[in-house]
Amino acid sequence: GAVVSQHPSWVICKSGTSVKIECRSLDFQATTMFWYRQFPKQSLMLMATSNEGSKATYEQGVEKDKFLINHASLTLSTLTVTSAHPEDSSFYICSARIARGGNQPQHFGDGTRLSIL
Amino acid sequence: RKEVEQDPGPFNVPEGATVAFNCTYSNSASQSFFWYRQDCRKEPKLLMSVYSSGNEDGRFTAQLNRASQYISLLIRDSKLSDSATYLCVVSPNSNSGYALNFGKGTSLLVTP
């Protein structure tokens, strides 16, 4: 079945570090990938929609200069949290939907747990 | 008003019980509906899609009422392994370029 791979699973960094998270679709091409963030006991919140070959679309309140997204190929999107601070600590998850007709669900990566000290 | 609303619970039920979760959504133009399950500190996993005619998958039954903008999930014969958070998920479009809107989730704890 379709698989989305996300790396790394855990990151613990000092404040001020930039962190890159990779999201790969392993057996399908994804022209669109999505980046979500989830704080404890909260719902998944969409941060941005990553479009292959073009600029990402950011949700209101998400700083595009803070969360850099690059979708350079049909199977890879990256999210870079620049100069991360403790308030950026969260669970970051990427997802993609197969570009096929019908009621296609999204497939999620395993998520990246980011802790900024 | 939030786009997808769910009762957060928690629902504590004994093993073997039947439990039902409800969800309402605000966008009447929504096209795709799902129930996802999320275990603690893990990514969401698709439990089942929800179709207008209602659908069943083993012990799980999902219903959609478009007129009332309401989705339900029924779990029969609860197992300990059903303990998780159940996310009601709605998408404005079935196209792959559209993201999903998540409810906050309903927590279920099945006890021996």
Side-chain angles (χ1 to χ4, degrees):
Chain A
V3 176
V4 174
S5 172
Q6 189 172 339
H7 176 81
S9 300
W10 287 85
V11 183
I12 302 175
C13 290
K14 292 181 182 178
S15 187
T17 308
S18 292
V19 179
K20 180 188 277 190
I21 304 169
E22 293 188 350
C23 180
R24 294 180 186 274
S25 57
L26 295 185
D27 56 0
F28 67 97
Q29 292 183 335
T31 53
T32 306
M33 290 185 177
F34 306 96
W35 287 96
Y36 293 84
R37 179 167 57 180
Q38 186 177 34
F39 292 106
K41 299 190 178 182
Q42 297 292 316
S43 180
L44 276 79
M45 296 300 297
L46 179 67
M47 298 177 66
T49 301
S50 172
N51 303 300
E52 186 268 336
S54 64
K55 289 182 180 179
T57 305
Y58 289 82
E59 296 300 299
Q60 191 173 8
V62 178
E63 300 174 54
K64 63 180 188 329
D65 295 328
K66 171 81 173 175
F67 300 98
L68 301 179
I69 291 173
N70 186 296
H71 195 151
S73 78
L74 285 171
T75 59
L76 174 64
S77 174
T78 61
L79 168 69
T80 301
V81 184
T82 61
S83 187
H85 292 285
E87 59 266 29
D88 298 321
S89 299
S90 187
F91 188 46
Y92 292 83
I93 311 178
C94 70
S95 73
R97 280 172 109 171
I98 295 175
R100 190 167 65 213
N103 202 23
Q104 294 297 325
Q106 283 188 5
H107 299 277
F108 287 86
D110 290 341
T112 298
R113 200 160 296 282
L114 175 64
S115 295
I116 305 298
L117 306 177
Chain B
R1 182 185 171 186
K2 292 190 176 65
E3 291 207 38
V4 182
E5 298 212 48
Q6 293 179 252
D7 179 347
F11 284 61
N12 292 338
V13 302
E15 218 174 344
T18 295
V19 61
F21 305 138
N22 303 318
C23 165
T24 56
Y25 60 95
S26 60
N27 184 352
S28 59
S30 296
Q31 300 275 337
S32 301
F33 309 90
F34 309 94
W35 282 101
Y36 277 74
R37 169 193 169 130
Q38 187 174 26
D39 291 287
C40 188
R41 302 169 78 84
K42 296 281 193 181
E43 81 281 10
K45 292 189 187 295
L46 178 68
L47 180 64
M48 58 197 303
S49 300
V50 186
Y51 300 107
S52 297
S53 53
N55 48 299
E56 188 174 305
D57 183 0
R59 297 181 293 109
F60 300 87
T61 301
Q63 297 275 353
L64 167 64
N65 185 323
R66 284 187 185 268
S68 303
Q69 294 176 210
Y70 170 96
I71 307 162
S72 66
L73 176 70
L74 183 77
I75 305 176
R76 289 182 299 279
D77 189 23
S78 300
K79 310 291 184 194
L80 296 178
S81 56
D82 293 333
S83 299
T85 298
Y86 290 83
L87 304 171
C88 177
V89 184
V90 175
S91 180
N93 195 299
S94 56
N95 185 291
S96 61
Y98 285 80
L100 302 179
N101 294 318
F102 287 82
K104 277 195 172 183
T106 300
S107 294
L108 172 66
L109 178 63
V110 181
T111 54

